[in-house]
Amino acid sequence: MIIGVPKEIMHDENRVAATPETVRMFKADGHTLLVEHNAGAGAFFSDEAYAEAGAEIVFDVRTLYDRADLILKVKEPLYNEDYGKHEIELMHSGQYLITFIHPASPVNHEMVRMMAKQGVIGLTLDGVPRISRAQNMDALTSMSTCAGYRGIVMAAERLAKFIPNIFCAVGSIKPANVLVVGTGVAGLQAIATAKRLGAVVYAADIRSAAREQAQSLGAKIVDLGIPDEVSVAEGGYAKAVTGEWLEKEREALRAVIGKMDIVFLSALVPGRLAPVMVTEDMVKVMAPGSVIVDIAIDQGGNCGITTPGITDVKYGVTIEGIKNIPGYLPTSSTWMFARNVYNLTKHLTKDGRIALNPDDPIDASIRVTDGEKIVHRGALEAMGM
């Protein structure tokens, strides 16, 4: 195959979908690699390093899109201001795309429709199932590790006070209170990072096993009062809860959120919209100068008033809605991401070409568009189709 790696065009996105190391691995498998000029510069991978690894450096991304059979990206396709076209418009029928698409998120619905209309076969990395043989393909877990760490560091930068207990000549300052909602991979990393910084950490999750893991890291548990038979789906994932159960969760959080200096939100349901755990009235009771980091924003967000893609201040509370937090650790996150993407591509490839197997749970769960129509269940449900 001819594999194209364009430079990411999202604001402040420094990651790239391949490293010189994975270029060599793809080349060893017999593929041709096209890498856009300066695609890896933000992660400190030079054009010279890619060329030395065997990639062809392309200066006009339109040529890259035109020639490639498969496009590897980090973020969902966006409007390219340099060429006055959406990235999907640069793609062609029958072309494969592997990236984070987050197809259930409302902000991506039009882009997904465009992808189907263009005939692109979209494969989303957030659909990789958490099964043993898919672990080395699971970019969502890798990026969640980065987001959990960096999200707390970003919150510390925004917070108007110290995080650890500080003793000084005029007295002592109490440590900050941090609440982590959703204790999957990102949440657990957030707990560990907040603890290292000296915070008093609280955690909430609807799954008992996840709460036990949070407690093992030293977090105090906020009981949401949801039984496992309601909250846990197959494979240990969180199940989408609605109605009175969702309101029960909110009530439990409402009772403690006013005491929190940082709220880290990472509650996700695979392939579905993220549940709104923190409502506008809950934000209003937080102290001015507090911080919310909503890393669930790619799937709609856990806070009802997070503005996608930016840092905002509402009711005196800083709400972090940046969609590419792992991009603030570009070298580490790119190294992890590129290996995940290589492993997934290798799994999908038979006789040098991508050959999707509808009976394989990995192949089936990542498909968003099939070259003609939208096939992703979560996207179809969110679109009301």
Side-chain angles (χ1 to χ4, degrees):
M1 286 185 296
I2 298 176
I3 299 173
V5 182
K7 180 178 174 63
E8 296 297 319
I9 60 174
M10 178 178 278
H11 181 65
D12 285 338
E13 179 54 78
N14 292 312
R15 289 173 291 176
V16 61
T19 62
E21 176 193 40
T22 60
V23 164
R24 288 190 183 90
M25 293 158 73
F26 278 122
K27 290 286 289 183
D29 293 338
H31 303 300
T32 298
L33 273 293
L34 309 178
V35 176
E36 186 181 356
H37 169 57
N38 278 339
F44 304 100
F45 297 109
S46 67
D47 284 355
E48 290 76 17
Y50 283 110
E52 191 176 308
E56 178 184 338
I57 305 302
V58 178
F59 286 81
D60 188 332
V61 76
R62 293 171 294 188
T63 301
L64 182 149
Y65 277 107
D66 185 59
R67 290 175 57 189
D69 303 301
L70 165 64
I71 297 293
L72 303 180
K73 276 181 51 59
V74 178
K75 298 301 293 183
E76 69 273 12
L78 299 168
Y79 184 78
N80 189 318
E81 294 182 357
D82 289 343
Y83 296 105
K85 286 188 174 183
H86 200 284
E87 286 181 301
I88 290 174
E89 293 180 282
L90 300 175
M91 300 183 71
H92 54 78
S93 180
Q95 194 169 49
Y96 288 87
L97 169 67
I98 296 177
T99 188
F100 279 116
I101 298 172
H102 300 290
S105 179
V107 297
N108 293 331
H109 289 176
E110 186 55 39
M111 177 266 294
V112 171
R113 291 188 184 98
M114 189 186 304
M115 193 184 303
K117 184 178 179 181
Q118 193 78 353
V120 174
I121 303 160
L123 307 175
T124 187
L125 292 166
D126 54 292
V128 174
R130 284 180 179 163
I131 56 177
S132 296
R133 64 189 179 90
Q135 284 183 344
N136 68 355
M137 313 170 199
D138 189 357
L140 185 61
T141 291
S142 295
M143 296 305 98
S144 293
T145 299
C146 298
Y149 167 80
R150 180 61 186 175
I152 290 295
V153 172
M154 291 170 75
E157 292 170 346
R158 301 285 186 185
L159 190 64
K161 57 176 73 174
F162 288 113
I163 285 187
N165 190 186
I166 295 292
F167 296 93
C168 62
V170 292
S172 66
I173 299 174
K174 292 181 179 179
N177 291 324
V178 174
L179 171 63
V180 176
V181 181
T183 58
V185 174
L188 292 174
Q189 187 62 236
I191 290 168
T193 304
K195 288 290 290 183
R196 292 185 200 109
L197 291 175
V200 177
V201 182
Y202 298 79
D205 197 293
I206 57 177
R207 301 162 295 169
S208 59
R211 293 194 298 272
E212 288 173 11
Q213 289 179 310
Q215 197 166 26
S216 73
L217 291 176
K220 301 179 181 182
I221 302 302
V222 176
D223 186 5
L224 299 177
I226 313 295
D228 273 358
E229 58 266 26
V230 173
S231 61
V232 181
E234 185 178 351
Y237 294 110
K239 188 187 293 183
V241 297
T242 57
E244 63 179 292
W245 289 116
L246 180 56
E247 190 51 42
K248 190 177 181 68
E249 290 182 59
R250 290 172 178 164
E251 284 301 319
L253 294 176
R254 191 175 280 113
V256 300
I257 200 166
K259 304 171 186 175
M260 299 298 149
D261 300 296
I262 294 172
V263 177
F264 183 91
L265 299 172
S266 60
L268 295 173
V269 178
R272 300 292 190 273
L273 279 174
V276 176
M277 310 289 290
V278 176
T279 59
E280 184 172 5
D281 65 293
M282 294 162 71
V283 176
K284 288 179 179 179
V285 304
M286 294 181 67
S290 302
V291 180
I292 293 173
V293 178
D294 191 351
I295 73 159
I297 192 61
D298 272 326
Q299 288 178 226
N302 289 147
C303 176
I305 59 171
T306 303
T307 304
I310 68 170
T311 303
D312 212 349
V313 178
K314 297 179 180 178
Y315 307 109
V317 177
T318 298
I319 305 177
E320 197 69 80
I322 290 176
K323 299 181 73 175
N324 58 327
I325 289 176
Y328 287 78
L329 290 168
T331 303
S332 294
S333 58
T334 289
W335 182 81
M336 298 166 78
F337 183 90
R339 281 174 162 249
N340 291 142
V341 168
Y342 169 78
N343 291 328
L344 177 61
T345 304
K346 192 171 182 67
H347 160 77
L348 297 172
T349 303
K350 306 291 184 293
D351 299 322
R353 312 291 297 182
I354 288 184
L356 295 174
N357 177 3
D359 296 321
D360 188 295
I362 300 171
D363 301 30
S365 63
I366 64 175
R367 289 197 316 154
V368 177
T369 54
D370 66 357
E372 294 181 353
K373 59 185 181 298
I374 301 167
V375 296
H376 187 275
R377 183 187 298 177
L380 292 169
E381 288 179 2
M383 293 176 181
M385 299 168 64

